[in-house]
Amino acid sequence: MTARVGVVTFPGSLDDGDAARAVRIAGAEPVRLWHGDPDLRGVDAVVLPGGFSYGDYLRCGAIARFAPVMETLVDAARGGLPVLGICNGFQILCEAHLLPGALTRNQHLHFRNRDQVLRVEAVGTAWTNAFQSGQEILIPVKNGEGCYVADAATLDQLEAEGRVVARYVGGNPNGSQRDIAAITNPAGNVVGIMPHPEHAVEALTGPSLDGLGFFTSVLKHLVGAPA
């Protein structure tokens, strides 16, 4: 049976269509979910896409965190549902307290849009098991509020527990502490990433095919998950 991966659309979402396309290319069925509907439609995993949910008012992701769909999603994620938050989706996961820390204004106060090398470090998550530890990948980054910050104790805990999923290599585009580009929760089913893997799944439009591994990883994870 084909896995069904939900992609949530919020007012101001920008990359929901791209995320759905990446899901389809990976071999799953994308299921469009609406911010105002708490029904997850029985999906096997969920992607929170990039964009500017609710216009990024208050803080990025701060309003989206209270959307009806998030009430259901938070409980499902805590129950083991795989969830990938990309860019704005990462911000929403932090606002919803599914991931620690916060994403703040880029230190240089400029929007950054470029192809970025990452080093994948945690490969035991639902979204990164297709990679090798230490593998370097190239995917686009585009953000104005992508600077990951947390207190020293939280950063040390992420390091000690192997929950830093990926780091920036060859230059930090936003000033994120310890070059952090992606993190995971203790269970490994929730991952937040600031760069955009959904923009690196086709040779025609992306700088590489490296982003596809995030989407094939969750399919591999679902096959191995208990029924």
Side-chain angles (χ1 to χ4, degrees):
M1 183 178 294
T2 302
R4 303 173 72 247
V5 179
V7 179
V8 179
T9 297
F10 297 95
S13 289
L14 176 66
D15 299 311
D16 46 338
D18 300 79
R21 183 172 179 80
V23 166
R24 185 180 300 109
I25 291 171
E29 176 190 350
V31 178
R32 305 305 289 263
L33 303 177
W34 185 241
H35 70 104
D37 186 351
D39 186 2
L40 297 182
R41 300 176 61 187
V43 297
D44 302 301
V46 169
V47 177
L48 298 179
F52 306 91
S53 59
Y54 296 92
D56 281 348
Y57 287 107
L58 299 183
R59 291 184 310 277
C60 301
I63 299 177
R65 175 258 182 275
F66 293 102
V69 71
M70 289 300 298
E71 297 178 13
T72 311
L73 183 60
V74 167
D75 287 340
R78 288 174 176 159
L81 183 76
V83 179
L84 177 66
I86 304 170
C87 196
N88 188 225
F90 188 2
Q91 295 162 342
I92 294 169
L93 290 175
C94 290
E95 289 287 343
H97 306 298
L98 287 173
L99 293 175
L103 285 307
T104 63
R105 186 73 178 158
N106 292 351
Q107 279 192 347
H108 45 66
L109 303 181
H110 296 287
F111 190 91
R112 278 290 180 268
N113 182 7
R114 72 188 193 196
D115 297 332
Q116 176 69 47
V117 177
L118 307 180
R119 182 174 63 251
V120 181
E121 298 192 354
V123 296
T125 81
W127 298 93
T128 56
N129 58 68
F131 299 104
Q132 299 295 317
S133 181
Q135 181 176 346
E136 293 190 359
I137 62 175
L138 179 67
I139 64 176
V141 63
K142 52 174 189 175
N143 61 73
E145 291 84 17
C147 179
Y148 181 76
V149 298
D151 61 79
T154 297
L155 293 169
D156 289 343
Q157 183 178 24
L158 289 171
E159 301 270 14
E161 296 178 357
R163 291 168 52 198
V164 176
V165 172
R167 298 183 203 265
Y168 299 111
V169 175
N172 186 327
N174 45 43
S176 287
Q177 292 179 319
R178 305 192 189 182
D179 295 329
I180 290 174
I183 62 172
T184 185
N185 67 336
N189 63 302
V190 177
V191 169
I193 181 168
M194 183 48 56
H196 288 262
E198 79 281 16
H199 294 330
V201 297
E202 292 183 291
L204 178 64
T205 56
S208 73
L209 302 181
D210 293 343
L212 193 58
F214 289 89
F215 301 96
T216 57
S217 286
V218 76
L219 303 188
K220 180 180 175 183
H221 170 80
L222 291 171
V223 168

